[in-house]
Structures are given as C-alpha cells and as structure tokens.
Amino acid sequence: CSSAASSGSSGSGGDGLSAPAASALDGKGETDITFWHAMTGTNGETLKKLTDQFNAANQGKIKVTLAFKNNYDDTLSAYKNALKGGELPDLLQVYDIGTQFMIDSKATVPAQSFIDVDSYDVSDIQPNIAGYYSIDNKLYSMPFNTSMPLLYINKDAFAKAGLDPNKPPATLDEIMADAKKLTVKDAGGNTTQYGFGASLYGWFLEQWTAVAGAQYCNPDNGRKGRATAANFASDNNVKLLTWWKDMVDQGLALKLDSDTKNGDSAFVAGKDAITLESTGSLGDFTKAGFQVGTGFYPKINASDAGGPIIGGASLWIVGKGKDDAHKRASWEFVKFLESKDSQATWHTSTGYFPVSKGALDTDVDKQWVAAKPQFQTAITQLQNTKLSTATQGCLFGVMPQVRKAAENAMQAAVLQGKDPKQALTDAANSLTQPIKDYNDSVK
Ligand SMILES: O=P(O)(O)OC[C@H](O)CO
C-alpha cells in the first residue's frame, strides 16, 4: 500500500485534482455551486444566514446553493453513491470520521493545494483543529464546524437538589454522586427526572479513550501507518460500561439509544439533569426552558491526563468532473466561511468553536462570551488539550462502521446486560475483516 508506507493514510489528491488560480473565475459570469451539508436547527439557520451574506456580496460572480442531506452519515453515503456515477456536489461537509475515506476517494482537491496556490495564511486556524485534518503535514479539508464534547447540566435542577450549579461533575464517581441527588420520583414511585442521561453514542467512547490518553486504534491511531484494529476492550472502556449499566440498574440514568437527537430531546424536556453532547448543541440547548451549564468532558478516572478529540465536520472541495471555475468558486466560499467574522457569527450562534483564533478577539465574540460563560468552557477545554496522536483521534477508512460497532457494544452492555468486556471484544473482532477488505481495496 503506497500511502500506508509512509503515513498509513495520506494519498495524493488524484490526477488533475490541483487548485486553480483566482483567475479561473475571470470572464465566467456567475458560477453556481452546490454545497451538501448536514446542519439542522439553529446551526442550519446560521449556515443559511452566512450563505445569503456571501451570495449577496458576490452577485453575478458566485452563487452557492445549499442542499441539506439530513445528517452526517447520509451526506457521506450520498457522496459515496455519487462517486459511482451520480452527480457530485461542488462542495460538501463531511464529519471528522469520514476524513480517511475522503482522502482515499481521490475525487477532491486537497485544501493544501489552494493554500499553496494562494499563499493562504493558515496561522489563524487553531493548531489542534488543523491537526485533526492534517496528514503528513498536509491539510486535506478546511475545518468549519468544529466541536468537542461537553458535559451539560440543568442548573435549575442542580440548585433544586441542593447542588452547586457552578460545579459540574468531573468524573464518573462525581456524576453518580450528583445523580443520586438529582433523580426525582413522583408519589407513585415513577421517575420524573433522572440524574444522568446520555446517548450511547460511539463518539463518546472515542472521546473517553482520548481523555484517558489512550489510542482508539493501532498504530498510534492510524497516524503512523494504516490502522488495522480497533482497541475497544480496554480496562477503561470496561470500567465505563460497567458504571453505565450500574447507573441504569440503580435507576439513576435514563435508558437511551445511540441517536443523539433522542438524547438532546430528553435533556431539553428535563427528563435528565446531566448529559453529554457536542459544543455544537449549545446554541439549541440555550433555548431550553432552564439555565444550562457546561463542564469539561468527564474523566473515567480522576487521574486521566489526556484530552478530548476535535469533532464536527470539515469542508471538502470536489475536483472530479469539475471545471476550474467551480473549484475556485468553492474555495472562495470556503475562505469566506473560515474568516474571523463568519466564525464569530458561527461560534456565538451555534456553540461550535471558531476555527479562527482571530474570531475570539472580535467585539461580537468577546461580548457574547462575557454575557454567556457557557460558551467559554469549550474554548478553555480546547486550549487545555495538548495535541497528540491520542487527541488527534483514530483514522480508519471504515470509521463510520467502526463507530456503529462500538455503539452496538455499548447498547449490548448497558441496555441488554451483556458482559462489557465480551461486548467490546466481539465488536472489535467483527471489524477485522471489513477493515482488512477496505485496506486491501486502497492498496
Ligand atoms: O455533533 P458534532 O457536529 O459536534 O459532531 C460530533 C462528531 O464529531 C461527529 O462525528
């Protein structure tokens, strides 16, 4: 495998997939581009606002049309189908775990190619954020909606339970102790509020692994060569799932599946008082009918010394079948979304990090964060996180399938009572062949 030999994962951009100069738009009239994305709610509304702003400023030159593709999984699936012969978009938003597949698809123009052609200054991009999307020091896509997971609390429920609403729990033990005070039953013995409730989302398992400073896959999270195995069945992960099952058995945790939409609705409806979610849900959560507090993503053990991984999604410019004007028009829009003013709007509306360091210095951002300190937690957590292969996260071409297998193990252990170590081991083993098949296919 040529690309695996050096880094395990970087492939070239493919023939002809290099960036055109700005002159590609000269004399072309209006270039229309289609952008596939997966943003809903407040996030979708904010993306539309920014896109309208760009289109108004580029009338007669570039027009961006947004095409909502439901969610991250569906957006990547639509792209995979289009690669087989359908119509590809000019630009698409791909979640973090699609990164390796996108590189391997060899149908996009690496962002680095545009950066080099324009001598575009990337020093304004947060290094941890650029680090996730960089393979062999080459940036393949431009980070856009960048997140980390947070712990969220219902501050009103904390106050009512006699807990300090300004002290979110930081470890599994602390969550359990707080959940005992936060769980409320009615006169009939039915639980009206669970202390804790989080989706059995694979992303959370990936995060706990990184927070413990461990690698989710070999070798060094696929950053030192193409990954061949997932390290699911660690002692920490077994401890985590054992704890989670115990929380459910004690009636302290709401039973949820892996769909974060269900976890979000439960928290907003007051069914649980502590949850886990992306920073990108903060904009929507602040519209709940109670005071929302944010805390760092919790640790399994107080001594865990790693940090969370960058999440969210990045922007990929399609080159396959596209002329220079379309590629260039996509890049112009990407640069607009990356700008500090766009990122200040994006951050303050949604809760996603500003990928631009400069955005944090804008008046609009400073005033917003001063008034709404919940927005500071994610920034501090990002700044505290040291870049390492653990915090860069794992790269697999079949990472969406890997996440699904982890979710199956989480559900089997927490909801169906399967032995956690067995559930995690079975899930990891179920991936051996699909990972091998994928790696063989890109050799
Ligand atoms: O909910 P988001 O956008 O922060 O994304 C979370 C994960 O990183 C998606 O893989």
Side-chain angles (χ1 to χ4, degrees):
C1 170
S2 56
S3 57
S6 58
S7 71
S9 31
S10 60
S12 76
D15 287 344
L17 297 176
S18 54
S23 57
L25 288 168
D26 292 350
K28 294 284 177 188
E30 184 180 89
T31 301
D32 292 356
I33 59 167
T34 303
F35 175 29
W36 287 3
H37 73 94
M39 296 284 90
T40 53
T42 304
N43 303 347
E45 287 158 22
T46 310
L47 178 60
K48 177 157 186 336
K49 181 174 141 185
L50 287 169
T51 305
D52 289 347
Q53 204 180 315
F54 177 83
N55 284 339
N58 287 277
Q59 264 183 12
K61 192 177 172 197
I62 302 171
K63 184 175 172 212
V64 180
T65 301
L66 295 174
F68 175 58
K69 291 285 163 182
N70 194 35
N71 57 33
Y72 289 144
D73 283 333
D74 291 349
T75 307
L76 186 59
S77 296
Y79 173 74
K80 284 181 184 174
N81 287 335
L83 279 178
K84 292 178 200 149
E87 188 162 348
L88 287 161
D90 298 288
L91 179 68
L92 74 159
Q93 180 189 35
V94 178
Y95 56 179
D96 44 5
I97 60 170
T99 300
Q100 185 63 63
F101 176 84
M102 290 303 292
I103 294 171
D104 293 335
S105 75
K106 295 188 169 60
T108 62
V109 183
Q112 191 68 47
S113 184
F114 284 102
I115 291 165
D116 294 344
V117 163
D118 279 18
S119 299
Y120 179 78
D121 182 9
V122 288
S123 63
D124 188 42
I125 302 178
Q126 294 276 4
N128 293 32
I129 297 175
Y132 185 95
Y133 296 103
S134 298
I135 317 294
D136 279 354
N137 295 319
K138 182 168 165 180
L139 200 54
Y140 275 84
S141 57
M142 292 300 272
F144 167 53
N145 58 310
T146 302
S147 66
M148 271 187 174
L150 290 178
L151 178 137
Y152 287 93
I153 63 166
N154 177 332
K155 291 179 89 170
D156 295 359
F158 264 60
K160 215 167 166 186
L163 292 165
D164 184 350
N166 295 314
K167 195 176 175 299
T171 62
L172 297 187
D173 286 347
E174 289 182 19
I175 293 174
M176 187 180 272
D178 287 356
K180 285 179 179 165
K181 296 187 177 156
L182 289 160
T183 299
V184 179
K185 289 183 194 290
D186 65 15
N190 301 309
T191 304
T192 54
Q193 175 181 283
Y194 287 87
F196 176 74
S199 304
L200 292 161
Y201 184 24
W203 189 48
F204 297 152
L205 194 71
E206 295 155 28
Q207 295 294 345
W208 259 300
T209 304
V211 169
Q215 316 284 325
Y216 198 71
C217 62
N218 73 342
D220 282 356
N221 265 344
R223 305 275 169 176
K224 299 269 166 65
R226 208 172 266 278
T228 57
N231 305 328
F232 285 166
S234 64
D235 289 348
N236 263 342
N237 288 347
V238 171
K239 180 174 175 182
L240 170 74
L241 296 190
T242 305
W243 169 87
W244 208 321
K245 171 79 169 41
D246 194 17
M247 290 282 290
V248 167
D249 288 348
Q250 290 190 48
L252 303 173
L254 177 63
K255 283 187 179 182
L256 286 162
D257 61 14
S258 300
D259 186 345
T260 51
K261 281 201 193 88
N262 297 328
D264 294 358
S265 308
F267 180 66
V268 169
K271 289 187 185 160
D272 51 62
I274 303 171
T275 194
L276 305 172
E277 240 306 9
S278 160
T279 54
S281 292
L282 182 53
D284 275 330
F285 282 177
T286 50
K287 293 174 183 162
F290 53 82
Q291 288 292 313
V292 173
T294 48
F296 292 154
Y297 195 72
K299 298 174 174 190
I300 295 176
N301 311 292
S303 58
D304 289 345
I309 311 163
I310 294 301
S314 66
L315 305 175
W316 294 80
I317 295 171
V318 176
K320 187 180 176 188
K322 304 293 176 186
D323 65 15
D324 283 354
H326 282 79
K327 289 183 250 180
R328 188 70 208 187
S330 297
W331 173 242
E332 294 301 324
F333 181 54
V334 167
K335 281 194 292 185
F336 166 78
L337 292 178
E338 300 289 319
S339 70
K340 68 176 165 45
D341 290 334
S342 296
Q343 284 293 315
T345 300
W346 184 245
H347 173 225
T348 55
S349 304
T350 66
Y352 280 108
F353 292 126
V355 297
S356 147
K357 285 188 275 185
L360 293 173
D361 294 327
T362 60
D363 288 343
V364 63
D365 207 291
K366 277 189 189 156
Q367 284 160 14
W368 183 266
V369 174
K372 296 179 186 287
Q374 304 103 309
F375 282 76
Q376 183 59 44
T377 310
I379 297 165
T380 309
Q381 181 172 260
L382 173 69
Q383 287 165 347
N384 287 352
T385 300
K386 284 224 307 259
L387 188 61
S388 68
T389 54
T391 60
Q392 272 182 299
C394 159
L395 286 174
F396 270 123
V398 290
M399 191 64 190
Q401 197 175 338
V402 171
R403 179 175 287 178
K404 194 60 72 195
E407 289 173 351
N408 289 342
M410 293 167 84
Q411 291 201 27
V414 175
L415 304 179
Q416 287 132 33
K418 185 167 175 177
D419 174 70
K421 183 149 188 124
Q422 197 59 53
L424 291 162
T425 304
D426 290 350
N429 289 342
S430 77
L431 292 164
T432 308
Q433 196 60 42
I435 293 168
K436 183 175 182 313
D437 290 347
Y438 181 89
N439 289 350
D440 286 347
S441 76
V442 292
K443 266 185 184 169

